[in-house]
Amino acid sequence: MRTITKITLKYFISLSLGFGLIPGLFGLNKNLGTAGAQFLKIPVGARAAALGGAVTGMSDDATALFWNPAGITQDHTHSLHASQIPWMTYFNITAVGYTMNLPRRGTLGIHIRTLGMEKMEITTELEPEGTGEFFDSQDIEVGVSYAVKLIDQFSMGFTAKFIQQRIWNESASGLAADFGTLYHIEYGNTVIAMSMRNFGPDLQMSGPDLLVFYDASEYYPNRIVPANKKTEAYPLPLIFQLGLTSDVINSAYFHSRFGLDLVHFNDNDEQILMGLENTIAQRFVIRGGYRFNSEKSSASLGVGLNQRIDKLIFQLDYAFVMHEYLEDTRFLSLNLLF
């Protein structure tokens, strides 16, 4: 009991220091609004989108790979997630995640997320109808995760991932890491969680289209040498998220769970996320969420269906996210637990 108390105290102290110091470090960054790889901010999973992103302590399946890697330490042996999102008319997002629980050795996970577009014809001032050439773009994230329960109440997880952005023939790539923790409290089935995502070095574009030929001497013309245009490096969207999740009602036929998250970005203002999930007869789910201080989106709604077939749990979720300036977004995702 003393050991658990010491771990609890150390956890809260570390969490408080992290939440206090990391925003201070972010405040030193003068590149407000200039972080790249913005696709890493797009919600993964219809459940998370419907809850307004307030899922740091609520993610308990393969979607936790995208939100808080500590959340993959659950009782089910395998978890599989797949989702497809049509994003802002021209783009499509695909996300797949898989976790495997190793008895007494932790949980392993792997995930991939891509954002792409269909090819578009290149036009110029001299050829406004098109040059006959086409370009496209694609962003990709591939990650491997490991999480473990140190005690029954406390879990921690880590993700190492590869990130690449490409537009036509130019690309930028690098490595990054996620880290997360979960602490369970018996009262109200409460969870206190923390995650830090996309911690890594800056990215910088390079490629053959940046190749130019330069005359290095004004005294001896035609001494052309190859050179490359230098692009400016840009940081990843570093995200620090602290969440509190607790039961509101927990009965045999109705379960209501509330989530509250605080989010700090290195390239945007802080946000408060709230979400409420209501499960009826352990099968039908109604969700709602709201993002405070967000210009891109605010309210969100969603529904879900849970179906058990022998040892397989089938979860189908849908979400509708409203945006103030751009068109609303619809999410559809599938989870399998077995």
Side-chain angles (χ1 to χ4, degrees):
M1 185 68 180
R2 291 181 179 177
T3 302
I4 294 176
T5 304
K6 289 180 180 179
I7 293 177
T8 303
L9 182 60
K10 290 180 180 179
Y11 174 70
F12 279 112
I13 292 174
S14 300
L15 196 61
S16 300
L17 288 175
F19 190 67
L21 294 177
I22 291 180
L25 293 175
F26 288 168
L28 298 176
N29 193 319
K30 299 180 180 180
N31 298 319
L32 188 65
T34 60
Q38 292 292 305
F39 78 105
L40 297 172
K41 288 183 177 181
I42 299 174
V44 172
R47 182 192 183 207
L51 292 170
V55 292
T56 307
M58 205 178 294
S59 297
D60 54 3
D61 50 34
T63 57
L65 295 167
F66 302 92
W67 295 93
N68 181 1
I72 65 177
T73 56
Q74 303 302 320
D75 295 333
H76 44 261
T77 305
H78 304 276
S79 176
L80 178 66
H81 169 82
S83 59
Q84 178 73 28
I85 309 164
W87 188 254
M88 304 302 175
T89 305
Y90 298 104
F91 301 93
N92 282 291
I93 301 171
T94 301
V96 178
Y98 169 76
T99 68
M100 179 175 62
N101 196 329
L102 306 174
R104 297 181 297 276
R105 288 179 292 176
T107 305
L108 293 175
I110 184 171
H111 74 270
I112 181 171
R113 164 170 39 180
T114 65
L115 181 146
M117 59 173 285
E118 295 183 358
K119 289 187 176 182
M120 184 179 295
E121 190 169 10
I122 298 173
T123 60
T124 66
E125 294 180 356
L126 299 178
E127 297 177 284
E129 301 299 323
T131 64
E133 293 184 285
F134 293 80
F135 79 96
D136 65 348
S137 67
Q138 184 183 61
D139 298 338
I140 185 170
E141 173 196 41
V142 180
V144 178
S145 303
Y146 175 75
V148 63
K149 282 187 177 182
L150 299 181
I151 57 174
D152 290 340
Q153 294 87 358
F154 181 74
S155 303
M156 62 185 301
F158 175 82
T159 299
K161 57 189 183 181
F162 170 79
I163 298 169
Q164 183 185 66
Q165 290 195 285
R166 179 186 61 82
I167 179 167
W168 202 9
N169 300 313
E170 278 58 60
S171 65
S173 60
L175 298 177
D178 299 345
F179 175 76
T181 60
L182 282 177
Y183 187 81
H184 293 262
I185 301 174
E186 292 184 3
Y187 179 78
N189 192 23
T190 301
V191 175
I192 300 175
M194 179 275 292
S195 70
M196 183 171 64
R197 308 193 296 275
N198 309 320
F199 180 78
D202 294 353
L203 303 184
Q204 188 172 17
M205 283 283 183
S206 62
D209 294 322
L210 299 176
L211 177 66
V212 295
F213 294 96
Y214 174 66
D215 190 345
S217 174
E218 59 179 306
Y219 302 105
Y220 303 97
N222 300 323
R223 293 197 173 188
I224 306 297
V225 295
N228 278 292
K229 294 182 178 179
K230 184 179 180 181
T231 59
E232 185 176 354
Y234 53 89
L236 293 172
L238 188 60
I239 302 170
F240 182 78
Q241 192 159 341
L242 177 67
L244 175 69
T245 302
S246 185
D247 286 347
V248 179
I249 301 174
N250 190 2
S251 64
Y253 297 99
F254 185 80
H255 183 202
S256 181
R257 194 156 174 78
F258 174 76
L260 174 66
D261 281 23
L262 307 177
V263 190
H264 191 103
F265 303 93
N266 67 335
D267 66 335
N268 209 332
D269 296 328
E270 291 80 5
Q271 295 179 10
I272 299 176
L273 317 179
M274 297 178 62
L276 183 66
E277 180 176 68
N278 303 299
T279 305
I280 305 169
Q282 299 181 358
R283 181 170 296 183
F284 305 102
V285 187
I286 301 174
R287 304 182 179 99
Y290 197 88
R291 286 176 174 261
F292 294 90
N293 201 31
S294 172
E295 297 180 355
K296 296 181 179 179
S297 60
S298 52
S300 54
L301 298 170
V303 294
L305 174 65
N306 301 335
Q307 179 65 49
R308 178 183 288 274
I309 305 174
D310 195 14
K311 295 182 179 181
L312 174 66
I313 300 177
F314 174 92
Q315 298 175 337
L316 183 64
D317 297 310
Y318 173 83
F320 178 79
V321 180
M322 288 170 271
H323 297 269
E324 185 173 355
Y325 302 110
L326 302 174
E327 66 179 35
D328 300 329
T329 310
R330 294 160 179 81
F331 294 73
L332 183 64
S333 62
L334 171 68
N335 287 310
L336 298 177
L337 309 177
F338 52 100

